[in-house]
Amino acid sequence: MPHGWIILDKPIGLGSTQAVAAVKRNLREAGYGKKVKVGHGGTLDPLASGVLPIALGEATKLAGRMLDATKTYLFTVRFGTQTDTLDLEGKVVAESELQPSQDEVEAVLAHFTGPIEQVPPAYSALKVDGERAYDLARAGVEVELKSRSVTIHELGMDAFDAQEGATLRAKVSKGTYIRSLARDIALALGSRGTVTMLRRIQAGPFEASQAIPLDKLNEVGKGAPLEQILLPLEAGLDDIPAIDLDPEQARAVRQGRVLTGMPHEDGLYCAKEGTVPVALVELSDGNVRVSRGFNLIDVAE
């Protein structure tokens, strides 16, 4: 049974759910049947491309953690118009003749770096009275969403074109909407803005250099070895330290028991027996408690 990550370079036009379905289809065609658990680590809109981590098997236990991870995007803001969806899919709802210069754009970016308040787009998957905001918006209902606190860790200029606008690079916290960020940057400049390009280049520990195109994924369904595209489960934990367990300690952790007297600093760790991940654990005052256990004994045997 495969356990690990497929990092897909999601193309424009494909939704995250469709991407997961494509992985499941290729696994079935490769002879794995329907038993493999598959999930994704962070939604990407159909109009966005880039890094989409897809978890297989025991790695699905880390998908929630991936949703909370920082992410980095490249996006282009074209000034002068604003659509109802804040991207090219929508209709123009506001216009401005003001076209800010590169220096003016660069000067305003500092105001959007660090903790900020942000109102999500009306066309988002957030729920309002039990309904998805984008469903209400498409039905013509005026959607009012509350502002939320997010953090923009890094924000800088990647390129500038007088006609096409500014291409920016943003490293952001969970819950950040890039389309809202683009809207607010344009408004702060006295203009209007629409996102014309959106690409995720990093999600948690995964980067664009690790992502495979859809064609490469489809080769698995035609007989290519899954191992050529599958990253190990612990690749999703590259940003946290590991602690080594002896066989007795590993047995105790697998049974959910607390280990005591571990000489490590407090924090989150990946507990391993040899090369096999045993569990994601929290260490406090020398005590190790299981946060997420992995059923990978078959890998070690």
Side-chain angles (χ1 to χ4, degrees):
M1 191 68 66
H3 306 283
W5 299 90
I6 294 173
I7 312 304
L8 188 65
D9 189 343
K10 190 192 79 63
I12 293 172
L14 189 73
S16 299
T17 302
Q18 292 172 303
V20 169
V23 171
K24 289 180 176 179
R25 184 188 70 250
N26 278 281
L27 289 175
R28 287 196 303 271
E29 292 173 353
Y32 290 98
K34 299 180 179 180
K35 295 181 180 179
V36 182
K37 293 180 181 178
V38 182
H40 66 76
T43 301
L44 268 183
D45 291 343
L47 288 183
S49 67
V51 176
L52 179 63
I54 298 179
L56 273 58
E58 290 295 286
T60 57
K61 294 178 178 178
L62 300 173
R65 184 173 182 273
M66 201 59 58
L67 295 174
D68 294 339
T70 60
K71 298 174 177 68
T72 303
Y73 296 87
L74 283 177
F75 63 103
T76 299
V77 190
R78 187 168 63 202
F79 298 103
T81 61
Q82 179 181 317
T83 67
D84 52 1
T85 61
L86 304 179
D87 57 30
L88 291 176
E89 191 177 38
K91 61 181 180 181
V92 175
V93 294
E95 296 181 276
S96 171
E97 294 183 0
L98 195 152
Q99 292 289 326
S101 67
Q102 179 173 348
D103 288 344
E104 289 171 328
V105 176
E106 289 182 329
V108 83
L109 297 184
H111 298 291
F112 292 92
T113 304
I116 65 169
E117 291 293 314
Q118 180 185 82
V119 177
Y123 285 81
S124 68
L126 295 176
K127 287 191 174 182
V128 179
D129 297 328
E131 300 286 338
R132 296 289 185 187
Y134 54 65
D135 288 332
L136 294 172
R138 286 169 182 154
V141 177
E142 188 172 337
V143 178
E144 291 187 13
L145 296 171
K146 296 179 180 179
S147 67
R148 54 167 59 187
S149 298
V150 298
T151 301
I152 312 300
H153 299 288
E154 298 174 13
L155 180 61
M157 179 82 70
D158 205 72
F160 186 86
D161 182 274
Q163 300 299 319
E164 297 301 322
T167 297
L168 307 175
R169 182 184 300 255
K171 183 175 183 178
V172 302
S173 70
K174 170 189 175 182
T176 302
Y177 283 90
I178 297 298
R179 289 174 292 158
S180 290
L181 178 61
R183 173 200 63 201
D184 295 344
I185 288 172
L187 288 172
L189 290 163
S191 185
R192 297 286 182 156
T194 292
V195 171
T196 60
M197 183 278 292
L198 177 57
R199 178 167 175 77
R200 187 157 70 194
I201 58 174
Q202 174 261 334
F206 300 119
E207 299 181 354
S209 60
Q210 297 169 291
I212 61 164
L214 196 59
D215 289 348
K216 190 78 171 177
L217 169 65
N218 291 336
E219 289 177 8
V220 172
K222 299 174 183 177
L226 177 62
E227 292 73 23
Q228 72 176 8
I229 66 168
L230 187 67
L231 298 180
L233 176 147
E234 57 266 37
L237 300 171
D238 275 355
D239 53 344
I240 69 169
I243 56 173
D244 295 320
L245 305 179
D246 61 34
E248 184 60 35
Q249 291 171 326
R251 189 175 301 110
V253 169
R254 288 189 177 104
Q255 293 172 353
R257 289 187 276 147
V258 177
L259 298 182
T260 60
M262 297 294 284
H264 297 277
E265 294 182 1
D266 291 357
L268 190 67
Y269 291 84
C270 176
K272 302 175 73 173
E273 181 186 7
T275 60
V276 180
V278 176
L280 193 62
V281 299
E282 288 278 359
L283 201 151
S284 178
D285 296 327
N287 298 319
V288 174
R289 290 179 171 82
V290 176
S291 176
R292 277 287 188 179
F294 306 125
N295 185 23
L296 295 173
I297 298 178
D298 59 316
V299 178
E301 294 177 346

